[in-house]
Amino acid sequence: MIEFKNVRKVYEDGTEAIKGIDLKIPEGKLVALIGPSGCGKTTTMKMINKLIGLTSGTITINGRDISEEDEVELRRSIGYVIQRIGLLPHMTIEENISLTPRLKGWKKEKYESRVEELMNLVGLEPGIYRKKYPLELSGGQQQRVGVIRALAAEPPIILMDEPFSALDPISREQLQDELKHIQNSIHKTIVFVTHDIDEALKIADVIAVMRDGKIEQISTPRELISSP
Ligand code: ADP
Ligand code: ADP
């Protein structure tokens, strides 16, 4: 479980991005952070993997205060997917996906079979795509690789910041379905940022609505649909 206690973030220029949030993100759930541009969604995500620090309050992961954790260690246990995918252009698809497992010292057979399993999970035929380079794939296919790369080393937590927003509607819908399927089959804690309410309703177990640096409401998709 990830827990925020009275977390505030004031940027150096004085912008109050997060104005005191309390949030519990249960293990194994997909939580969507939703809200208009500028409400603090990305800031919230970046604090979880210590890309930025907190001004006050605490964030704990399974009871351990992240301010006491080593950044490198912490980030190894968190997969991060962002909108601009950032695949390494001079590495093949297989090399991109297996990067973190290789850094962690996995044996060749283990990471090769993991790459194959993940590519199959998102419908990328390994025999065809394994040796290709990112720019030889479509935008939707590259995004799939971005998603499975974040999963490759089996991190218990995955942060996804508007990972599908640059995609065409069809790829987007397919990837939403695939993400749900992935989550059901491997049961990871996923924090997913979107400004698209339909996307949140479709994939989330819990929806946290943010506005102006605060969490306005936390509900299940069902509660949100039936609330006035
Ligand atoms: P969202 O992801 O919901 O669009 P952000 O977390 O990116 O919102 O931004 C929240 C607020 O903090 C906005 O007012 C934004 O302009 C501001 N902000 C974000 N990053 C910085 C920064 N590095 N320095 C100063 N202000 C920032
Ligand atoms: P997002 O699309 O995730 O909300 P933005 O496009 O708003 O992010 O911001 C892109 C980058 O610029 C981020 O690293 C963010 O922290 C930074 N940033 C955003 N707003 C400000 C700001 N007001 N001052 C300085 N940096 C900012």
Side-chain angles (χ1 to χ4, degrees):
M1 169 152 89
I2 308 170
E3 185 165 11
F4 283 65
K5 283 190 192 146
N6 198 17
V7 170
R8 291 177 62 247
K9 173 67 186 180
V10 182
Y11 281 106
E12 279 172 19
D13 67 356
T15 306
E16 265 192 273
I18 301 296
K19 302 176 180 173
I21 66 176
D22 292 288
L23 177 65
K24 286 181 187 169
I25 299 172
E27 202 152 333
K29 297 286 185 201
L30 195 157
V31 176
L33 290 182
I34 182 159
S37 188
C39 71
K41 304 181 297 294
T42 297
T43 301
T44 303
M45 297 283 262
K46 286 180 176 168
M47 290 190 294
I48 298 174
N49 64 1
K50 291 179 81 169
L51 283 175
I52 56 176
L54 322 187
T55 303
S56 62
T58 55
I59 299 176
T60 56
I61 296 179
N62 297 330
R64 293 172 65 173
D65 188 335
I66 62 166
S67 69
E68 286 157 25
E69 302 282 325
D70 177 64
E71 281 169 27
V72 176
E73 284 296 311
L74 181 77
R75 289 189 202 133
R76 273 196 190 146
S77 67
I78 299 179
Y80 193 36
V81 188
I82 54 173
Q83 187 182 331
R84 289 168 222 88
I85 315 159
L87 296 179
L88 299 165
H90 303 297
M91 286 192 188
T92 62
I93 298 308
E94 175 169 46
E95 287 164 349
N96 266 284
I97 299 170
S98 62
L99 190 61
T100 314
R102 285 184 284 130
L103 286 173
K104 288 179 110 178
W106 287 25
K107 293 220 166 67
K108 194 161 190 273
E109 291 129 57
K110 187 175 170 194
Y111 70 70
E112 281 184 349
S113 76
R114 178 73 176 153
V115 166
E116 196 158 312
E117 174 197 12
L118 288 168
M119 289 184 75
N120 283 321
L121 197 62
V122 296
L124 285 170
E125 176 60 51
I128 299 174
Y129 295 105
R130 196 203 311 259
K131 301 287 181 203
K132 286 196 188 285
Y133 289 87
L135 292 175
E136 299 177 282
L137 272 58
S138 73
Q141 290 172 329
Q142 289 180 42
Q143 198 70 35
R144 288 180 162 78
V145 176
V147 170
I148 59 179
R149 182 180 60 171
L151 303 173
E154 301 175 343
I157 295 171
I158 298 153
L159 307 178
M160 308 182 97
D161 196 343
E162 305 212 31
F164 308 146
S165 61
L167 299 178
D168 64 88
I170 294 171
S171 308
R172 187 172 181 155
E173 212 160 295
Q174 279 175 355
L175 263 182
Q176 289 167 351
D177 291 340
E178 282 160 14
L179 179 64
K180 212 50 213 164
H181 172 65
I182 288 169
Q183 196 219 351
N184 290 334
S185 55
I186 60 180
H187 215 66
K188 302 289 184 196
T189 304
I190 302 177
V191 190
F192 187 99
V193 162
T194 181
H195 56 254
D196 177 352
I197 181 70
D198 292 326
E199 185 161 83
L201 289 171
K202 181 168 174 184
I203 64 170
D205 299 306
V206 178
I207 298 177
V209 181
M210 292 189 72
R211 184 190 296 271
D212 192 23
K214 292 189 187 132
I215 295 196
E216 197 173 56
Q217 185 183 355
I218 298 178
S219 35
T220 63
R222 189 188 292 263
E223 287 164 351
L224 204 65
I225 292 171
S226 56
S227 70

PDB file of all heavy atoms in Angstrom, residues 11 13 15 42 46 84 161, ligand 2:
ATOM      1  N   TYR A  11       6.545  24.418  -5.302  1.00  0.00           N
ATOM      2  CA  TYR A  11       7.726  24.493  -6.173  1.00  0.00           C
ATOM      3  C   TYR A  11       8.553  25.725  -5.818  1.00  0.00           C
ATOM      4  O   TYR A  11       8.070  26.653  -5.167  1.00  0.00           O
ATOM      5  CB  TYR A  11       7.306  24.531  -7.648  1.00  0.00           C
ATOM      6  CG  TYR A  11       6.929  23.168  -8.194  1.00  0.00           C
ATOM      7  CD1 TYR A  11       5.602  22.838  -8.438  1.00  0.00           C
ATOM      8  CD2 TYR A  11       7.902  22.216  -8.475  1.00  0.00           C
ATOM      9  CE1 TYR A  11       5.253  21.592  -8.953  1.00  0.00           C
ATOM     10  CE2 TYR A  11       7.570  20.967  -8.987  1.00  0.00           C
ATOM     11  CZ  TYR A  11       6.245  20.661  -9.225  1.00  0.00           C
ATOM     12  OH  TYR A  11       5.916  19.434  -9.721  1.00  0.00           O
ATOM     13  N   ASP A  13       9.422  28.258  -7.394  1.00  0.00           N
ATOM     14  CA  ASP A  13       8.894  29.566  -7.799  1.00  0.00           C
ATOM     15  C   ASP A  13       7.680  29.984  -6.982  1.00  0.00           C
ATOM     16  O   ASP A  13       7.039  30.988  -7.278  1.00  0.00           O
ATOM     17  CB  ASP A  13       8.562  29.570  -9.293  1.00  0.00           C
ATOM     18  CG  ASP A  13       7.403  28.640  -9.644  1.00  0.00           C
ATOM     19  OD1 ASP A  13       6.906  27.934  -8.741  1.00  0.00           O
ATOM     20  OD2 ASP A  13       6.991  28.635 -10.813  1.00  0.00           O
ATOM     21  N   THR A  15       4.845  28.179  -6.625  1.00  0.00           N
ATOM     22  CA  THR A  15       3.589  27.522  -7.030  1.00  0.00           C
ATOM     23  C   THR A  15       3.202  26.448  -6.010  1.00  0.00           C
ATOM     24  O   THR A  15       3.992  25.537  -5.737  1.00  0.00           O
ATOM     25  CB  THR A  15       3.744  26.826  -8.404  1.00  0.00           C
ATOM     26  OG1 THR A  15       4.212  27.763  -9.349  1.00  0.00           O
ATOM     27  CG2 THR A  15       2.422  26.226  -8.870  1.00  0.00           C
ATOM     28  N   THR A  42       0.582  15.033 -12.135  1.00  0.00           N
ATOM     29  CA  THR A  42       1.963  14.628 -12.421  1.00  0.00           C
ATOM     30  C   THR A  42       2.864  14.845 -11.211  1.00  0.00           C
ATOM     31  O   THR A  42       3.727  14.020 -10.898  1.00  0.00           O
ATOM     32  CB  THR A  42       2.496  15.406 -13.644  1.00  0.00           C
ATOM     33  OG1 THR A  42       1.701  15.046 -14.766  1.00  0.00           O
ATOM     34  CG2 THR A  42       3.945  15.080 -13.934  1.00  0.00           C
ATOM     35  N   LYS A  46       5.275  12.093  -9.463  1.00  0.00           N
ATOM     36  CA  LYS A  46       6.730  12.275  -9.360  1.00  0.00           C
ATOM     37  C   LYS A  46       7.212  12.202  -7.922  1.00  0.00           C
ATOM     38  O   LYS A  46       8.364  11.855  -7.667  1.00  0.00           O
ATOM     39  CB  LYS A  46       7.142  13.614  -9.973  1.00  0.00           C
ATOM     40  CG  LYS A  46       7.091  13.629 -11.496  1.00  0.00           C
ATOM     41  CD  LYS A  46       7.507  14.991 -12.015  1.00  0.00           C
ATOM     42  CE  LYS A  46       7.555  15.029 -13.530  1.00  0.00           C
ATOM     43  NZ  LYS A  46       7.691  16.423 -14.015  1.00  0.00           N
ATOM     44  N   ARG A  84       5.473  10.437 -23.424  1.00  0.00           N
ATOM     45  CA  ARG A  84       6.533  10.341 -24.446  1.00  0.00           C
ATOM     46  C   ARG A  84       7.390   9.150 -24.049  1.00  0.00           C
ATOM     47  O   ARG A  84       8.111   9.193 -23.070  1.00  0.00           O
ATOM     48  CB  ARG A  84       7.346  11.638 -24.491  1.00  0.00           C
ATOM     49  CG  ARG A  84       6.534  12.771 -25.086  1.00  0.00           C
ATOM     50  CD  ARG A  84       7.203  14.122 -24.885  1.00  0.00           C
ATOM     51  NE  ARG A  84       6.243  15.141 -24.506  1.00  0.00           N
ATOM     52  CZ  ARG A  84       5.856  15.420 -23.253  1.00  0.00           C
ATOM     53  NH1 ARG A  84       6.377  14.769 -22.235  1.00  0.00           N
ATOM     54  NH2 ARG A  84       4.959  16.352 -23.022  1.00  0.00           N
ATOM     55  N   ASP A 161       1.642   7.801 -16.397  1.00  0.00           N
ATOM     56  CA  ASP A 161       1.192   9.186 -16.519  1.00  0.00           C
ATOM     57  C   ASP A 161       0.672   9.439 -17.934  1.00  0.00           C
ATOM     58  O   ASP A 161       1.453   9.607 -18.857  1.00  0.00           O
ATOM     59  CB  ASP A 161       2.352  10.131 -16.189  1.00  0.00           C
ATOM     60  CG  ASP A 161       1.864  11.546 -15.910  1.00  0.00           C
ATOM     61  OD1 ASP A 161       0.725  11.871 -16.280  1.00  0.00           O
ATOM     62  OD2 ASP A 161       2.636  12.323 -15.313  1.00  0.00           O
TER      63      ASP A 161
HETATM   64  P1  ADP B   2       2.167  17.530 -17.833  1.00  0.00           P
HETATM   65  O1  ADP B   2       1.776  17.492 -19.296  1.00  0.00           O
HETATM   66  O2  ADP B   2       2.614  16.219 -17.312  1.00  0.00           O
HETATM   67  O3  ADP B   2       1.160  18.220 -16.952  1.00  0.00           O
HETATM   68  P2  ADP B   2       3.658  19.859 -18.357  1.00  0.00           P
HETATM   69  O4  ADP B   2       3.663  19.749 -19.858  1.00  0.00           O
HETATM   70  O5  ADP B   2       2.729  20.785 -17.668  1.00  0.00           O
HETATM   71  O6  ADP B   2       3.478  18.397 -17.755  1.00  0.00           O
HETATM   72  O7  ADP B   2       5.115  20.176 -17.863  1.00  0.00           O
HETATM   73  C1  ADP B   2       6.263  19.671 -18.513  1.00  0.00           C
HETATM   74  C2  ADP B   2       7.460  19.889 -17.606  1.00  0.00           C
HETATM   75  O8  ADP B   2       7.547  21.260 -17.207  1.00  0.00           O
HETATM   76  C3  ADP B   2       7.361  19.081 -16.318  1.00  0.00           C
HETATM   77  O9  ADP B   2       8.636  18.597 -16.000  1.00  0.00           O
HETATM   78  C4  ADP B   2       6.877  20.063 -15.286  1.00  0.00           C
HETATM   79  O10 ADP B   2       7.374  19.749 -13.994  1.00  0.00           O
HETATM   80  C5  ADP B   2       7.474  21.363 -15.788  1.00  0.00           C
HETATM   81  N1  ADP B   2       6.575  22.503 -15.471  1.00  0.00           N
HETATM   82  C6  ADP B   2       5.244  22.539 -15.576  1.00  0.00           C
HETATM   83  N2  ADP B   2       4.749  23.709 -15.159  1.00  0.00           N
HETATM   84  C7  ADP B   2       5.840  24.462 -14.801  1.00  0.00           C
HETATM   85  C8  ADP B   2       6.008  25.757 -14.292  1.00  0.00           C
HETATM   86  N3  ADP B   2       4.982  26.560 -14.033  1.00  0.00           N
HETATM   87  N4  ADP B   2       7.262  26.186 -14.052  1.00  0.00           N
HETATM   88  C9  ADP B   2       8.296  25.393 -14.292  1.00  0.00           C
HETATM   89  N5  ADP B   2       8.206  24.132 -14.760  1.00  0.00           N
HETATM   90  C10 ADP B   2       6.987  23.682 -15.023  1.00  0.00           C
END
